[in-house]
């Protein structure tokens, strides 16, 4: 059971001599004797193909959607925002479940964990934005996106992500930003101190427990997300 699959962002070569470490980790786990993997929100779904054993890539989206529905924000007011072109599919699934609009931030990375926001497509003026992503590391992508959305007229900005790594001073930067709330899951341990302020942590324990039960009794795992 690997809630957060380390090195998942290193799943392809972008420059010469760069390793595909996600494949190396897959080989290490298989060689160590793993005969099945259960994980949550792989950075790239293609990583499942790095394994020669069954992989259950669970989705934390239903947990986050259920929490956000209780905020009672009307679907006409809400816009789900993808922080990059690669996350459009995830954002579209959120938007469909919440009955919300969809917008996209286009960006480029001059170097790892650094981002230059380029442009924005969608209607956000006077509306509530929900930025959805799979990982928050340094928070650079998120905070640049929040600034852009505020410039475009967003009334309120929330963020939801599965894996909260919060490297460096990410948490302090989030507290200083105009973002209203950051919703994460506990796939990565988060201290009680960090859980204060704008951070809300949701548990993936019920999701993992049900996936394990369904595997044990040879039941469908995909029905968890129907």
């Amino acid at each position: 059971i690997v809630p957060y699959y380390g090195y998942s962002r290193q799943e392809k070569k972008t420059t010469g001599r760069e390793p595909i470490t996600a494949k190396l980790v897959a080989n290490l786990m298989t060689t160590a004797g793993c005969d099945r993997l259960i994980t949550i929100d792989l950075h790239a779904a293609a990583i499942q193909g790095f394994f020669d054993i069954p992989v259950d890539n669970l989705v934390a989206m239903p947990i986050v959607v259920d929490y956000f529905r209780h905020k009672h924000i009307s679907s006409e007011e809400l816009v789900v925002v993808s922080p990059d072109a690669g996350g459009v599919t995830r954002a579209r699934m959120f938007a469909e479940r919440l009955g919300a609009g969809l917008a996209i931030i286009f960006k480029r990375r001059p170097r790892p964990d650094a981002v230059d926001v380029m442009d924005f497509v969608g209607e956000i003026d006077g509306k509530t934005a929900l930025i959805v992503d799979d990982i928050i590391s340094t928070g650079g992508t998120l905070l640049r996106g929040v600034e852009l959305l505020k410039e475009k007229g967003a009334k309120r900005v929330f963020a939801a992500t599965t894996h909260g790594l919060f490297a460096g001073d990410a948490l302090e930067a989030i507290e200083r930003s105009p973002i209203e709330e950051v919703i994460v899951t506990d796939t990565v341990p988060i201290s009680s101190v960090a859980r204060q302020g704008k951070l809300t942590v949701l548990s993936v324990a019920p999701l993992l427990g049900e996936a394990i039960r369904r595997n044990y009794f040879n039941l469908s795992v995909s029905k968890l997300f129907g």
Side-chain angles (χ1 to χ4, degrees):
I1 311 299
V2 185
Y4 171 60
Y5 185 81
Y7 292 98
S8 64
R9 290 191 291 179
Q10 194 63 43
E11 89 289 0
K12 62 181 181 294
K13 290 175 72 71
T14 55
T15 61
R17 298 182 180 274
E18 194 172 68
I20 303 178
T21 317
K23 171 60 176 171
L24 171 62
V25 173
N27 289 346
L28 289 170
M29 293 175 66
T30 305
T31 302
C34 292
D35 54 25
R36 191 179 195 99
L37 172 68
I38 298 177
T39 187
I40 300 177
D41 280 328
L42 288 169
H43 184 63
I47 293 174
Q48 295 173 85
F50 293 176
F51 289 85
D52 293 322
I53 59 174
V55 176
D56 292 317
N57 182 27
L58 308 181
V59 181
M61 177 186 61
I63 299 172
V64 178
V65 167
D66 184 60
Y67 171 82
F68 205 78
R69 278 199 182 114
H70 287 84
K71 291 189 174 296
H72 303 296
I73 299 172
S74 69
S75 57
E76 293 79 14
E77 181 188 350
L78 182 63
V79 177
V80 176
V81 181
S82 171
D84 53 38
V88 172
T89 300
R90 180 184 302 105
R92 179 177 53 78
M93 292 170 66
F94 266 87
E96 288 175 354
R97 295 220 176 192
L98 291 168
L102 180 64
I104 307 167
I105 296 172
F106 291 96
K107 68 181 183 183
R108 61 184 177 88
R109 290 185 181 274
R111 60 186 182 280
D113 280 333
V115 62
D116 287 335
V117 173
M118 295 178 65
D119 206 352
F120 174 82
V121 175
E123 179 55 51
I124 199 69
D125 188 26
K127 297 189 177 183
T128 297
L130 172 62
I131 304 174
V132 296
D133 207 351
D134 62 329
I135 299 172
I136 294 179
S137 179
T138 62
T141 299
L142 172 64
L143 297 180
R144 289 294 299 275
V146 172
E147 291 173 6
L148 182 66
L149 292 171
K150 282 293 186 179
E151 290 171 7
K152 297 291 185 180
K155 183 172 62 174
R156 305 168 71 190
V157 181
F158 295 83
T161 189
T162 303
H163 312 294
L165 307 185
F166 302 116
D169 62 348
L171 285 171
E172 289 81 357
I174 288 171
E175 289 298 323
R176 295 191 302 267
S177 75
I179 197 166
E180 192 165 322
E181 183 181 11
V182 176
I183 305 157
V184 300
T185 71
D186 58 356
T187 55
V188 177
I190 297 176
S191 69
S192 56
V193 175
R195 291 172 184 242
Q196 300 172 12
K198 296 182 178 180
L199 200 63
T200 297
V201 183
L202 307 178
S203 176
V204 294
L207 174 65
L208 285 172
E210 181 61 17
I212 294 169
R213 189 188 73 84
R214 287 177 173 272
N215 268 294
Y216 187 82
F217 290 107
N218 293 316
L219 301 173
S220 171
V221 174
S222 62
K223 285 190 176 180
L224 283 171
F225 316 109

